[in-house]
Amino acid sequence: MTASDQYNKAFDTEKPTRVATADGRSRPLVVLQVLPALIEGDVGRSCIDVAFALAQAGGTPLVASSGGALVRELDRAGLAHFFLPLDRQDPWDVWRNGRRLTEIAREMGVDILHARGLGPAWSGRQAARAAGCRFVTTLHTADRIERKRRDRNMTTLLRNERAIAVSDYLRNYFLTEFSIPPEHIITVPRSIDTTLFAPERVTQARLVKLAAQWRLPEDRVIILCPAPLEQRFGQIDLIEAIARIQRNDLCCLILGQEPALQRDFQRKLEKRIEELDLTNTVHLVDQCPDLPAAYMLATVVVSPSREPEAFCRVCAEALAMERPVIVSAHGAAAEVAEPGPTVWLTPPADPTRLAEALEQALSLNPAHRAALAEPARRRVSERFHRNILCSGTLRVYLDLMAESPPNEQRASKLNFFKIS
């Protein structure tokens, strides 16, 4: 059992998320989650899931962000959202956001301020100290930036009372790079929506509609690579690997819009596709209205990232959809996928080994492939169910509240919180 296993069990919903008051009574635990934007993705979806779980357990969830499509989910549930420009990291904006978060924390009686992201962590730490509430951060990435700036930024993320890492890989990275007590960082893995990414829920009509939209030929086997068009995600290595495979029935879909700063990389991909005479085989697709259906259309899913990922979401989603997966063997990949009959872990930036894995995956009989994929799907669905994310996060909150405040000043401020 690892140091974080206690947080990856089912949460006792009978245990109310309440805190004691100075007069011996209790009130709901109030948690303010702070993030850059409430948009679809790992950070936004995790925030929404935790907010709903806290409300279901009897607590009071609050969210602050610059807005986004997921705000309407909070609105429909009657949960509070505060609009702040938390997507900005300019020092003036960080300071102003900290002032506003301090006002919100004092007015709403916040017990825990939970920051997701670097900008929110700067503002959140300022607000937590001023308002006297506990401070938690979630570590979503281990971006490689210059040492001096990285040390300054990471110190902000880690200078709190508890840090949540989204994988053991990320937790070990921070423990190795920075002098932090092991009990200070807890692993609570990200989740995938197992009701959305479920093969039985994808109808034939959805498959036909997406195939028609993409004009997919019926006589091709589909290789799917869903990731933003950035060099670190290794799409160029996939193109080189396909050029090594002697088959004329392949159709590779590289699915992902290019960020504004990566247009040169998209042109580089397009040029290499032309040089290798793969224009009829490899296609860049920037729109996907139905990702579960895209996985179901695929014969094999590839995630050839060149840099370690904190959590290999593509791998988890593909396995949940019972698709064979080829993923680079670094980062958190081994936590998500164990090598097996439908999983290949290959060295990053190695087109030759990637081509070998592709040939093996494409040689599987469809019926045999489906039978072999079921155990992997079951493991991923159990390990990365949203209940695990929510249970672990709520347990972090309650354990933190059970500890003594770090100083008497903070303890005294807690007594003045508004009780709702």
Side-chain angles (χ1 to χ4, degrees):
M1 177 177 289
T2 68
S4 300
D5 281 347
Q6 60 176 315
Y7 291 92
N8 300 331
K9 301 176 183 178
F11 182 73
D12 183 5
T13 55
E14 298 301 319
K15 184 178 180 181
T17 50
R18 301 182 69 85
V19 294
T21 60
D23 59 4
R25 295 184 296 177
S26 67
R27 59 172 175 79
L29 175 69
V30 182
V31 177
L32 172 60
Q33 294 187 81
V34 184
L35 66 162
L38 263 180
I39 57 178
E40 196 63 62
D42 291 330
V43 179
R45 181 52 59 186
S46 296
C47 174
I48 292 292
D49 289 344
V50 168
F52 287 172
L54 180 61
Q56 186 176 10
T60 301
L62 309 171
V63 178
S65 79
S66 64
L70 296 182
V71 173
R72 61 176 177 266
E73 296 193 23
L74 294 177
D75 292 339
R76 284 197 294 263
L79 302 181
H81 176 266
F82 301 89
F83 287 94
L84 280 79
L86 289 157
D87 54 342
R88 304 175 187 172
Q89 295 189 24
D90 178 89
W92 175 244
D93 289 315
V94 168
W95 182 82
R96 289 199 304 175
N97 286 335
R99 290 289 299 270
R100 179 64 182 125
L101 289 173
T102 301
E103 295 173 357
I104 294 171
R106 288 172 172 167
E107 178 183 352
M108 304 302 295
V110 170
D111 299 297
I112 296 175
L113 195 153
H114 183 174
R116 299 177 180 271
L118 182 58
W122 280 99
S123 301
R125 180 170 173 266
Q126 170 188 331
R129 294 178 65 181
C133 51
R134 318 302 286 265
F135 186 40
V136 175
T137 56
T138 291
L139 309 173
H140 288 278
T141 64
D143 293 335
R144 268 51 175 183
I145 53 181
E146 63 269 22
R147 181 80 192 189
K148 182 177 181 181
R149 180 170 173 240
R150 186 191 68 179
D151 286 350
R152 184 165 174 259
N153 290 342
M154 291 305 106
T155 298
T156 299
L157 281 173
L158 298 171
R159 191 180 295 168
N160 49 51
E161 298 172 74
R162 197 73 84 247
I164 298 173
V166 299
S167 66
D168 284 333
Y169 156 74
L170 195 60
R171 178 176 183 269
N172 293 333
Y173 168 82
F174 282 105
L175 289 177
T176 302
E177 291 291 318
F178 302 92
S179 299
I180 308 162
E183 65 275 10
H184 184 75
I185 303 182
I186 303 299
T187 299
V188 179
R190 285 176 178 166
S191 66
I192 60 172
D193 190 341
T194 53
T195 61
L196 177 65
F197 293 97
E200 66 276 8
R201 294 178 64 92
V202 179
T203 64
Q204 186 65 25
R206 288 169 61 183
L207 296 176
V208 170
K209 180 179 179 181
L210 188 59
Q213 177 178 330
W214 286 346
R215 300 180 181 178
L216 298 181
E218 296 182 0
D219 58 344
R220 301 287 187 95
V221 293
I222 307 299
I223 300 171
L224 180 68
C225 178
L229 296 187
E230 298 182 44
Q231 185 166 328
R232 63 192 177 105
F233 289 109
Q235 292 94 339
I236 193 73
D237 300 315
L238 176 57
I239 294 171
E240 298 288 347
I242 291 175
R244 289 165 166 76
I245 301 176
Q246 302 300 315
R247 293 182 59 157
N248 58 10
D249 63 342
L250 301 181
C251 178
C252 176
L253 301 176
I254 296 180
L255 175 62
Q257 293 180 318
E258 111 282 352
L261 298 178
Q262 297 291 334
R263 288 172 185 159
D264 288 343
F265 180 66
Q266 179 177 358
R267 287 191 287 268
K268 179 180 178 180
L269 291 180
E270 293 169 342
K271 180 181 178 181
R272 192 57 180 152
I273 291 170
E274 292 179 3
E275 291 173 345
L276 296 172
D277 194 23
L278 294 174
T279 53
N280 292 326
T281 301
V282 181
H283 307 279
L284 305 184
V285 184
D286 64 356
Q287 295 291 334
C288 182
D290 192 343
L291 188 55
Y295 282 124
M296 290 300 291
L297 289 171
T299 307
V300 60
V301 178
V302 185
S303 179
S305 62
R306 288 187 168 189
E307 296 182 11
E309 294 187 66
F311 178 78
C312 191
R313 174 171 289 277
V314 168
C315 183
E317 292 174 348
L319 290 176
M321 298 301 293
E322 298 185 352
R323 301 297 93 179
V325 174
I326 302 172
V327 60
S328 295
H330 56 185
E335 297 175 47
V336 178
E338 297 177 349
T342 60
V343 177
W344 289 263
L345 299 181
T346 63
D350 190 336
T352 300
R353 294 288 296 277
L354 180 55
E356 294 172 357
L358 276 169
E359 290 180 324
Q360 294 174 26
L362 295 173
S363 68
L364 290 176
N365 176 279
H368 189 212
R369 181 181 67 208
L372 293 173
E374 199 281 331
R377 176 200 175 189
R378 184 172 60 251
R379 175 182 177 275
V380 166
S381 298
E382 292 173 353
R383 181 170 174 78
F384 303 109
H385 194 280
R386 69 175 64 181
N387 287 348
I388 301 298
L389 164 73
C390 296
S391 299
T393 305
L394 295 189
R395 186 169 282 110
V396 169
Y397 292 163
L398 292 182
D399 285 356
L400 181 59
M401 292 304 298
E403 297 175 2
S404 299
N407 55 56
E408 291 299 322
Q409 180 182 15
R410 176 168 291 178
S412 64
K413 287 182 178 179
L414 285 170
N415 293 331
F416 290 97
F417 276 180
K418 175 183 176 183
I419 301 176
S420 56

